[in-house]
Amino acid sequence: MSEKMETMEMSAEELEKTKKKEEKVREKELKKQKAAMKKEAAKFQQPSTVSKKSERKNQRKDAEEENGDDYIDPQTSLGEKKLLSRMMAKQYNPSVVEASWYAWWEKSGFFVADAESSKPPYVIVLPPPNVTGALHIGHALTSAIQDTIIRWRRMSGYNTLWVPGMDHAGIATQVIVEKKVMRERKLTRHDLGREKFVSEVLKWKNEYGGTILRQQRRLGSSLDWSRECFTMDEKRCRAVTEAFVRLFKEGLIYRALRLVNWDCVLRTAISDIEVDYQDIKERTLLKVPGYDKEVEFGVLTSFAYPLEGNLGEIVVATTRVETMLGDMAIAVHPKDSRYQHIHGKFAIHPFNGRKLPVVCDDILVDPNFGTGAVKITPAHDPNDFDFGKRRKLDFINIFTDDGKINGNGGPEFEGMPRFRAREAITKALQDKGLYRGAKNNEMRLGVCSRSYDVVEPMIKPQWYVNCSSMAKEALDAVMNEENQRIEIIPKQYASDWKRWLDNIHDWCVSRQLWWGHRIPAWYVSFENDELKELGSYDDRWVVARNEEEARKETSERYPGKKFTISQDPDVLDTWFSSGLFPLTVLGWPDETEDLKVFYPTSVLETGHDILFFWVARIVMLGKKLGGDVPFRKVYLHPMIRDAHGRKMSKSLGNVIDPLEVINGITLQGLHKRLEEGNLDQAELKTSKAEQEKDFPNGISECGADALRFALVSYTAQSDKINLDIQRVVGYRQWCNKLWNAIRFAMSKLGDDYTPPTDVVPEIMPFCCQWILSVLNKAIGETVASLEAYKFSDAATAVYSWWQFKLCDVYIEVIKPYFVGSDSSAASSKRFARDVLWLCLETGLRLLHPFMPFVTEELWQRLPQPKDSVRKESNDMRVSPCSEGAYQSPCFSWTNNKVEQDMDLIESAVKALRYLRSLMPAKERHERRPAFALCQTDEVAEIINCHELEIRTLANVSSLSVSSSVDDAPIGSTVSVVNENLSIYLNVEGTINAEAEREKLRKKMEEICKQQETLSRTMNASGYKEKVPPHIHEENVAKLASLMQELVSFEKASQHLEREVAAQ
């Protein structure tokens, strides 16, 4: 059900292939895992090509690495905790890392919520995907976001419940099974009969349905599978019936004859969301199911109606000539002088002699459009329907359910398919001399997304939900600022919510299908009824929970009368049962413990495209039947497009299968998937060309973690995500960075290392204080972003800390502590190890909700504190899924002064790296002396105190500090860091000093412009009166800084002048 606008429905053949494909994928993954292990093992068994001396050195270094088997994970039984290799592989392999963990999580019950828990509840209901669906990228986005939320809340001490379920997908499932029966047995559903057909659907569902939920496990979705449900299971069926009955008893459900979107292929009414609109600019030929020839659209045909009493004729125009068989009037504008003489007169229908009144109307008619005369077909046009109700016209349906002309259309055309009748009527009008021509006409054509049939507006008796009062409550729940019950995120969609609910229409909930919740209404018939057709008498319907209850109510309504009752053959709109889902999954209408504890749920996360079709209806039904709004927040994620911003479409070949991203696929494999679809040759050629352009080498194996992280990171984009697979590949490479960080740590911590129970930053080396402070900041930013549903910001905060602070700086800067055996460095080494362990352990837990597999594996490899929780008899640690509390900020770790000093250090390092990048490539890795020109004692002290950090990170041989530019060594070039610090690197003539001097000149010009602009602003008339004091103080400081920076650049320029002279 979720992402209905984007769901890729699967045919029976595709589902069979998918089932086999899943088995092949599992076999392939196992083979890939074994191959990767063998490959890793082979690295340690290949003959050496290095010198004997180096070989002996490596043998000593790798004494513990006895053979390749040490790098291969032992076989793990299904559901058991994963057994890890003794040694970590040298590279991250997603298929190896992501194996076995999920089965253990599930078997261990980490995802099961406890209704008796004292923890605060946090509940998400997974928008139920269609039983016919395959996992597509929209589902992957939904799961990545929801699993991030639920894992974070679980780790934060909440009693989390994430409920999985499937939607029976009435139309989609029926279409698939009908095609299957026709293909295999050459029978229609009508040939089988209702009971046998429904049996076929259930059989198909049990065999092939639910593929998508199995695929959710591959993504790592931590759903509570013990509560899995299906919208057509026994409990949900009973709940849907109860909801219908209660709403009917309250007068909120009624039956009426109204206009609906009718599908002539499926022979059912369909919802607005199942109608796709094509914009047609001019005469266009299109394929329509059931027609051999293409059908013409985008043409406005004019014809004349003769007027009664020899008053001439009146010309009308239409894009649907066939509907003229149901015309009941002609409307003109009351002020249109052309037609004032025929107000109240009659036109004569040329084919059936019906008298059509000429009626004045200033609502429907635009006198400046066309002829200014409008034909009125109340039973087949929405505007004409409203007109017919206002004017009390008769409503005559001219079509059969399968789209043929019925008896009301006259014997000349009866039995003709509607678009063949279009041609026949046009010819007949020409023969009668009434045809007045045709011209191109821009129009929107409604097409059913399931059958591809052109939607026909038809008047049909249907069941409706009166939404007026419920919509007001749903609107108030969001828009009432004083008592807001639901918050919509992002906020801009609240205006859509208001617009839709302010203009809501009653909801048609009946469908003429056989697969679905059968409407619990029985029609009462008597022997002496003049009209025998079901539903002929509007007041004969009895709504009840079952047939026994219906008979009892009928007997009470018609005491002493002999009657028969027949259940309505129609079923309920799928959106009705899915709209009840947050209630029914928790046991409603029974007063279950789950309902008491977990309702209302916490948040509904879904796509913004179904805000009205699903979300609004959940709120209306939840408030009415559950007594409270069904959730407190609604988070609407963007819709996914391809890297070029195009909607994903099979015909474009740009549909991305998440499993293909996770497992990897060749270009040939992508082509094969297209060939197995239903594309014609032209579409297939286009699609293959697009794939070759976007994925020339196929898609690399990325793993679930990288895909999840990429999708969550993309949520910063507004209403659309332009998904570039290369970004996913980048995160897969980043996983290797995490892997190497742990490998480094394991090599430095040692086998006997015991982590600390507590740390005191104040007594630690500078770099340890710094990494803990920035870690604390990252924790605060991550938690605050998650709280605010800014998932991209949360992902960025975690990523930035790992990448730019821990890996790029801290791990590099502590390496000197582990070189040599100087006893004076023992304390620093011990602190560095403790903080390294603490950072990795905390950082992995911080990252776990986003990347559960790799963080689980790496976390399990870390040494454990003496007091850590133990669960298994083999003394292994439990998972972050259950034990690991999500880190909260630690105030004692924050040290702003240390962070400020490190900012300066990093700026100096960045400057040195920049100067190094200017050197010839072959000389860039040489360690050269550096010089720091400091304008203040404070800066000089910082640089002097942290010379080791700068030398280590910038890879320079030495660093001298001075306050005089004259001390800068000859043969060096310069980079100005800020107004108080300039950095020099000895390059010995390898850099063009004149070119560097020119760069400085341009920077000085830029600073002068900034200085002039700011001075002009501060000297402007009325500045002091208008500008607040704190802004004025900031401007004064900024101006002083610019002036000092200019001085620094001037000194640098003077130094380069000397270099130029020396050259």
Side-chain angles (χ1 to χ4, degrees):
M1 201 292 311
S2 172
E3 306 283 346
K4 282 210 172 192
M5 297 294 283
E6 293 189 2
T7 299
M8 299 184 297
E9 301 301 341
M10 303 173 71
S11 65
E13 306 101 296
E14 288 174 325
L15 278 155
E16 291 175 30
K17 288 174 183 174
T18 299
K19 190 176 182 183
K20 292 177 182 177
K21 185 178 176 183
E22 281 185 317
E23 294 172 359
K24 288 181 179 178
V25 166
R26 281 194 292 271
E27 292 175 8
K28 184 179 177 182
E29 284 188 359
L30 187 59
K31 288 179 181 177
K32 192 183 289 185
Q33 185 176 347
K34 289 180 179 178
M37 291 173 176
K38 286 181 180 178
K39 185 177 179 181
E40 199 65 46
K43 291 179 183 178
F44 301 94
Q45 296 173 348
Q46 291 175 352
S48 174
T49 57
V50 299
S51 67
K52 290 185 176 180
K53 184 178 179 181
S54 297
E55 188 175 344
R56 285 194 300 271
K57 184 179 178 181
N58 289 335
Q59 285 174 350
R60 287 195 302 271
K61 182 180 177 183
D62 301 330
E64 294 184 356
E65 299 176 9
E66 296 174 359
N67 57 63
D69 291 340
D70 288 342
Y71 294 83
I72 299 175
D73 291 336
Q75 185 87 21
T76 301
S77 301
L78 184 66
E80 296 302 311
K81 187 168 184 178
K82 185 175 181 179
L83 301 175
L84 301 176
S85 60
R86 192 177 72 84
M87 304 292 291
M88 285 183 70
K90 288 197 172 183
Q91 286 191 328
Y92 164 76
N93 185 321
S95 60
V96 174
V97 170
E98 294 176 3
S100 302
W101 286 120
Y102 195 93
W104 175 62
W105 291 335
E106 187 175 346
K107 184 181 177 182
S108 300
F110 293 149
F111 309 152
V112 179
D114 181 5
E116 296 180 0
S117 172
S118 59
K119 296 178 181 179
Y122 194 92
V123 187
I124 300 177
V125 173
L126 179 73
N130 288 352
V131 67
T132 57
L135 190 72
H136 65 70
I137 203 70
H139 293 125
L141 174 62
T142 294
S143 295
I145 294 171
Q146 293 185 20
D147 197 39
T148 296
I149 297 171
I150 215 75
R151 284 179 183 270
W152 164 53
R153 292 291 186 179
R154 184 183 295 120
M155 293 173 69
S156 299
Y158 285 81
N159 180 23
T160 55
L161 171 60
W162 187 17
V163 189
M166 278 190 305
D167 192 284
H168 63 279
I171 292 178
T173 308
Q174 180 159 314
V175 167
I176 284 176
V177 179
E178 280 195 76
K179 288 180 179 178
K180 180 176 183 290
V181 171
M182 175 56 70
R183 185 180 68 253
E184 294 177 354
R185 298 159 65 179
K186 305 300 179 189
L187 296 173
T188 67
R189 63 178 165 119
H190 299 282
D191 294 330
L192 283 179
R194 184 169 192 143
E195 189 175 337
K196 288 185 178 178
F197 178 76
V198 171
S199 177
E200 286 287 328
V201 177
L202 286 169
K203 180 181 174 184
W204 176 89
K205 178 259 174 187
N206 292 332
E207 189 171 356
Y208 298 110
T211 297
I212 196 167
L213 289 185
R214 292 192 295 273
Q215 293 170 333
Q216 290 281 2
R217 290 173 165 87
R218 185 64 188 88
L219 278 171
S221 304
S222 58
L223 293 147
D224 184 347
W225 297 105
S226 69
R227 288 174 168 86
E228 180 183 344
C229 57
F230 177 50
T231 53
M232 283 281 286
D233 64 29
E234 184 179 350
K235 289 182 179 179
R236 260 46 66 178
C237 284
R238 185 169 69 86
V240 169
T241 296
E242 182 65 27
F244 189 95
V245 171
R246 289 193 190 184
L247 292 173
F248 179 83
K249 300 293 185 188
E250 286 195 41
L252 295 175
I253 285 184
Y254 62 94
R255 188 174 172 84
L257 188 68
R258 291 189 179 174
L259 211 61
V260 296
N261 297 316
W262 188 262
D263 186 307
C264 298
V265 171
L266 301 176
R267 303 187 199 183
T268 181
I270 59 175
S271 69
D272 291 341
I273 200 172
E274 287 155 337
V275 180
D276 294 333
Y277 288 95
Q278 298 181 18
D279 290 318
I280 296 175
K281 301 295 183 182
E282 57 186 9
R283 179 182 181 273
T284 305
L285 295 176
L286 297 175
K287 292 179 181 178
V288 177
Y291 293 83
D292 297 330
K293 289 170 55 182
E294 291 181 323
V295 178
E296 181 182 73
F297 297 95
V299 173
L300 188 68
T301 301
S302 298
F303 65 93
Y305 272 119
L307 292 166
E308 187 180 44
N310 297 318
L311 292 175
E313 64 182 28
I314 185 167
V315 178
V316 295
T318 179
T319 57
R320 300 158 65 215
V321 175
E322 64 278 10
T323 62
M324 63 89 66
L325 300 176
D327 283 356
M328 302 305 297
I330 297 170
V332 297
H333 197 278
K335 294 182 180 179
D336 192 334
S337 58
R338 293 173 294 177
Y339 302 117
Q340 286 184 350
H341 66 293
I342 59 172
H343 290 180
K345 305 299 183 181
F346 292 89
I348 305 300
H349 201 290
F351 300 124
N352 55 36
R354 186 186 305 131
K355 295 172 70 173
L356 310 179
V358 178
V359 182
C360 294
D361 191 273
D362 59 1
I363 298 175
L364 180 65
V365 181
D366 178 0
N368 299 314
F369 180 78
T371 65
V374 180
K375 62 185 282 298
I376 304 298
T377 319
H380 295 287
D381 182 273
N383 293 323
D384 296 359
F385 177 83
D386 293 337
F387 182 96
K389 287 177 68 178
R390 290 199 307 271
R391 300 292 179 158
K392 295 183 172 53
L393 298 177
D394 289 335
F395 291 75
I396 296 180
N397 176 28
I398 61 166
F399 295 123
T400 60
D401 287 353
D402 59 352
K404 294 184 176 67
I405 305 298
N406 63 19
N408 294 330
E412 188 177 348
F413 307 106
E414 185 176 1
M416 284 187 183
R418 54 188 166 147
F419 297 127
R420 293 287 168 264
R422 177 178 293 184
E423 297 173 352
I425 291 169
T426 301
K427 177 70 167 56
L429 287 169
Q430 290 171 340
D431 293 343
K432 290 179 179 289
L434 298 173
Y435 180 75
R436 296 292 180 265
K439 63 179 182 180
N440 286 341
N441 182 72
E442 191 171 333
M443 64 180 293
R444 295 190 80 208
L445 186 69
V447 176
C448 177
S449 61
R450 308 293 182 182
S451 67
Y452 307 108
D453 187 29
V454 175
V455 173
E456 190 66 53
M458 287 244 267
I459 191 165
K460 288 282 185 181
Q462 303 285 338
W463 293 95
Y464 289 87
V465 176
N466 183 333
C467 297
S468 298
S469 61
M470 291 190 292
K472 287 179 181 176
E473 290 193 56
L475 182 61
D476 184 70
V478 172
M479 305 308 295
N480 186 339
E481 295 182 2
E482 293 181 1
N483 185 29
Q484 188 183 53
R485 304 286 289 153
I486 299 174
E487 179 187 3
I488 294 180
I489 306 167
K491 291 180 180 179
Q492 68 259 29
Y493 291 109
S495 59
D496 293 337
W497 181 268
K498 185 177 189 308
R499 185 177 70 254
W500 284 330
L501 292 179
D502 275 340
N503 299 285
I504 197 167
H505 298 290
D506 287 356
W507 172 18
C508 175
V509 291
S510 48
R511 298 290 182 266
Q512 290 63 52
L513 302 171
W514 287 357
W515 173 243
H517 297 276
R518 196 162 176 184
I519 291 176
W522 283 260
Y523 181 73
V524 182
S525 301
F526 301 115
E527 287 183 359
N528 59 350
D529 283 341
E530 185 177 339
L531 302 175
K532 303 295 184 182
E533 188 178 352
L534 185 92
S536 297
Y537 300 97
D538 292 339
D539 60 348
R540 296 277 189 84
W541 289 98
V542 174
V543 172
R545 292 170 180 81
N546 50 53
E547 185 173 341
E548 181 183 354
E549 189 178 300
R551 288 188 179 280
K552 181 180 178 184
E553 185 173 330
T554 304
S555 298
E556 293 172 355
R557 187 189 297 184
Y558 304 103
K561 284 194 173 186
K562 187 177 181 182
F563 60 84
T564 58
I565 59 172
S566 305
Q567 188 173 359
D568 192 331
D570 292 353
V571 300
L572 284 164
D573 178 13
T574 301
W575 294 98
F576 187 83
S577 54
S578 59
L580 295 165
F581 210 58
L583 278 171
T584 61
V585 296
L586 299 175
W588 186 92
D590 297 333
E591 287 293 326
T592 63
E593 283 303 308
D594 274 7
L595 190 64
K596 292 175 185 175
V597 174
F598 298 120
Y599 189 88
T601 66
S602 305
V603 62
L604 178 73
E605 191 281 335
T606 188
H608 64 75
D609 56 327
I610 54 174
L611 179 61
F612 174 71
F613 293 103
W614 189 47
V615 182
R617 288 165 176 172
I618 293 177
V619 175
M620 291 192 293
L621 293 173
K623 186 72 171 69
K624 171 57 66 175
L625 299 171
D628 197 354
V629 294
F631 30 73
R632 300 304 185 200
K633 295 182 187 291
V634 176
Y635 177 79
L636 302 169
H637 64 240
M639 296 293 101
I640 298 185
R641 302 291 183 257
D642 69 9
H644 311 292
R646 302 172 303 177
K647 185 176 180 179
M648 290 190 183
S649 161
K650 289 182 179 179
S651 61
L652 287 176
N654 63 348
V655 171
I656 295 175
D657 181 343
L659 294 183
E660 292 173 351
V661 180
I662 292 172
N663 301 317
I665 188 170
T666 63
L667 178 61
Q668 291 71 27
L670 290 169
H671 284 350
K672 186 178 180 182
R673 171 162 60 80
L674 289 176
E675 291 164 0
E676 292 172 349
N678 299 315
L679 301 179
D680 60 35
Q681 287 305 308
E683 289 175 328
L684 184 61
K685 184 178 180 181
T686 301
S687 299
K688 283 186 174 181
E690 290 292 333
Q691 286 185 339
E692 287 169 7
K693 184 168 67 176
D694 288 343
F695 311 113
N697 302 311
I699 299 175
S700 303
E701 178 192 27
C702 295
D705 282 330
L707 176 61
R708 286 168 56 118
F709 199 83
L711 291 173
V712 170
S713 298
Y714 265 118
T715 55
Q717 297 186 13
S718 56
D719 60 339
K720 295 183 183 68
I721 288 174
N722 295 342
L723 178 63
D724 185 352
I725 293 301
Q726 289 308 310
R727 185 165 174 180
V728 186
V729 174
Y731 286 124
R732 181 248 184 267
Q733 293 166 347
W734 185 62
C735 286
N736 197 59
K737 191 97 171 178
L738 302 178
W739 190 263
N740 287 333
I742 302 298
R743 286 186 71 243
F744 170 81
M746 299 301 286
S747 70
K748 302 306 176 188
L749 296 178
D751 293 337
D752 300 327
Y753 175 74
T754 301
T757 56
D758 192 18
V759 294
V760 182
E762 292 80 3
I763 63 174
M764 292 182 169
F766 169 81
C767 62
C768 295
Q769 294 184 46
W770 170 77
I771 193 63
L772 288 176
S773 186
V774 292
L775 171 58
N776 199 44
K777 183 177 289 185
I779 292 167
E781 290 174 358
T782 303
V783 172
S785 297
L786 288 171
E787 290 279 6
Y789 293 83
K790 295 180 178 179
F791 303 108
S792 178
D793 291 352
T796 299
V798 179
Y799 176 90
S800 298
W801 178 82
W802 269 97
Q803 178 70 35
F804 305 123
K805 306 301 182 185
L806 183 71
C807 294
D808 288 356
V809 179
Y810 183 72
I811 286 179
E812 294 302 320
V813 88
I814 64 172
K815 284 180 178 178
Y817 296 157
F818 297 95
V819 177
S821 56
D822 185 358
S823 59
S824 63
S827 171
S828 296
K829 182 177 180 180
R830 186 181 74 252
F831 285 134
R833 291 166 69 196
D834 288 348
V835 171
L836 177 61
W837 178 88
L838 183 59
C839 284
L840 293 173
E841 201 275 343
T842 303
L844 288 172
R845 283 191 281 117
L846 202 62
L847 184 58
H848 180 75
F850 305 90
M851 290 182 157
F853 292 106
V854 68
T855 53
E856 176 76 71
E857 178 131 339
L858 295 176
W859 190 82
Q860 293 289 352
R861 285 191 175 275
L862 286 177
Q864 55 187 315
K866 291 180 179 178
D867 62 346
S868 72
V869 179
R870 290 171 166 80
K871 186 173 181 180
E872 292 80 22
S873 58
N874 62 1
D875 213 29
M876 291 178 72
R877 306 170 76 193
V878 298
S879 168
C881 294
S882 62
E883 176 218 11
Y886 205 72
Q887 186 71 36
S888 57
C890 181
F891 179 76
S892 64
W893 290 2
T894 300
N895 192 322
N896 293 326
K897 175 64 170 61
V898 165
E899 287 192 47
Q900 289 170 6
D901 289 354
M902 182 56 94
D903 287 343
L904 185 64
I905 293 166
E906 288 190 86
S907 296
V909 170
K910 184 178 179 182
L912 285 166
R913 287 173 177 171
Y914 164 72
L915 295 175
R916 185 190 299 280
S917 71
L918 300 175
M919 297 171 63
K922 63 181 180 180
E923 298 183 33
R924 287 175 191 166
H925 298 293
E926 292 182 11
R927 300 180 75 232
R928 294 171 176 267
F931 171 76
L933 175 62
C934 303
Q935 303 294 344
T936 67
D937 293 342
E938 182 184 2
V939 170
E941 183 182 358
I942 294 170
I943 300 299
N944 268 316
C945 288
H946 303 296
E947 179 221 0
L948 176 62
E949 286 89 346
I950 296 173
R951 283 196 296 107
T952 302
L953 293 172
N955 194 30
V956 294
S957 59
S958 64
L959 177 66
S960 54
V961 180
S962 175
S963 60
S964 173
V965 70
D966 295 333
D967 293 336
I970 299 297
S972 61
T973 189
V974 62
S975 174
V976 178
V977 175
N978 57 36
E979 69 273 20
N980 295 317
L981 176 64
S982 296
I983 293 294
Y984 295 73
L985 181 67
N986 191 329
V987 293
E988 297 177 350
T990 60
I991 291 177
N992 186 333
E994 183 61 48
E996 291 305 303
R997 185 182 169 205
E998 179 61 21
K999 290 180 184 177
L1000 286 180
R1001 187 185 64 78
K1002 290 181 178 179
K1003 289 181 180 178
M1004 288 167 67
E1005 287 180 358
E1006 185 180 333
I1007 292 172
C1008 286
K1009 288 180 182 178
Q1010 293 179 27
Q1011 185 178 340
E1012 289 171 7
T1013 301
L1014 187 55
S1015 296
R1016 197 180 308 117
T1017 300
M1018 295 174 69
N1019 293 323
S1021 176
Y1023 167 82
K1024 291 183 178 179
E1025 292 77 15
K1026 295 177 183 177
V1027 174
H1030 71 280
I1031 298 295
H1032 175 65
E1033 290 173 8
E1034 289 176 8
N1035 287 341
V1036 169
K1038 175 66 175 174
L1039 189 60
S1041 175
L1042 287 171
M1043 293 173 69
Q1044 183 60 47
E1045 194 171 358
L1046 190 59
V1047 170
S1048 297
F1049 273 104
E1050 287 171 349
K1051 289 181 179 180
S1053 181
Q1054 291 167 11
H1055 171 78
L1056 287 177
E1057 279 183 26
R1058 292 197 296 272
E1059 290 295 316
V1060 171
Q1063 289 179 4

